[in-house]
Amino acid sequence: MAETHDAPLSASQKSRIRRLSQPKDPEPGEEAGELNIVPFLDIITNVMMFVLASVSVTFIASIDTTPPAIGGKGRSDVATKALNLSAFITTQGISLKTSSGNVAPGCQGIGAGITIPMREASVHDFAAVTSCAKRLKNAAPEFKEETQVTITANPGVEYGTIIDTMDALRKDGEEELFSDVHFGVAR
């Protein structure tokens, strides 16, 4: 094996290496050095902050319901007995009405008054609403198949109260009561 020895560099070679390794001044019109992206990032950050601050977020809650049909399904010569349950939410309580008339206070037959009055401390009794709806649905065999209820609320009734009433009328535990909810218009 042959050993290789590096020959010493001459003075002219050393001078040339020194001259090439020195940073040279840029020519006129030529940019020098590294690209400074900090100002660019500052601008992008400011634009992003402005966009985030000006975006408005809207949360939408929707409730699936079926609007009532106008007119009905045609003429029927056979009269059928229907429950046609309606719930009226007021600031005094919840009043239920059937095709036979207003349901009396305490869900005791037909009569005038608020069916489920407010409990003390101005709280609606949704358990009593569920119990009364179940009692009305089980009152006659013809009512067992009914699934529709119409809910109407007076102005000033809170949205949460309407939703809680709707939930109370929809089911009792696992038993479906009135799953098709329609909304009426208070006059």
Side-chain angles (χ1 to χ4, degrees):
M1 282 229 211
E3 277 185 43
T4 59
H5 293 282
D6 291 333
L9 297 174
S10 68
S12 66
Q13 288 174 329
K14 289 180 183 177
S15 172
R16 182 177 169 122
I17 291 172
R18 210 176 300 119
R19 190 183 49 212
L20 291 174
S21 65
Q22 293 293 324
K24 60 179 183 174
D25 291 331
E27 302 275 332
E30 194 179 301
E31 293 199 24
E34 297 177 9
L35 179 62
N36 187 3
I37 63 168
V38 172
F40 177 72
L41 290 176
D42 287 343
I43 291 170
I44 295 298
T45 303
N46 286 332
V47 168
M48 289 299 293
M49 294 303 283
F50 174 74
V51 168
L52 289 174
S54 64
V55 170
S56 65
V57 179
T58 304
F59 296 101
I60 298 174
S62 63
I63 301 169
D64 294 329
T65 63
T66 308
I70 297 175
K73 296 182 181 176
R75 185 171 175 222
S76 174
D77 292 332
V78 179
T80 59
K81 187 174 179 185
L83 183 61
N84 295 327
L85 183 63
S86 296
F88 299 94
I89 308 169
T90 67
T91 54
Q92 290 85 28
I94 299 171
S95 180
L96 299 176
K97 182 178 182 175
T98 66
S99 56
S100 301
N102 292 332
V103 179
C107 202
Q108 302 296 325
I110 303 301
I114 303 285
T115 308
I116 311 294
M118 297 277 271
R119 292 186 294 183
E120 66 281 341
S122 300
V123 177
H124 288 279
D125 189 358
F126 299 111
V129 172
T130 303
S131 173
C132 186
K134 184 174 182 178
R135 181 188 223 173
L136 292 170
K137 187 168 183 152
N138 294 329
E142 305 90 53
F143 302 158
K144 293 258 187 211
E145 299 300 317
E146 287 206 30
T147 60
Q148 294 185 12
V149 62
T150 302
I151 297 177
T152 304
N154 282 354
V157 172
E158 293 182 8
Y159 180 73
T161 303
I162 297 169
I163 299 302
D164 290 340
T165 303
M166 183 172 57
D167 290 342
L169 291 168
R170 278 190 169 168
K171 58 169 66 173
D172 179 26
E174 294 299 316
E175 181 184 351
E176 288 282 329
L177 295 175
F178 299 96
S179 57
D180 297 330
V181 176
H182 304 283
F183 291 103
V185 178
R187 296 181 189 183

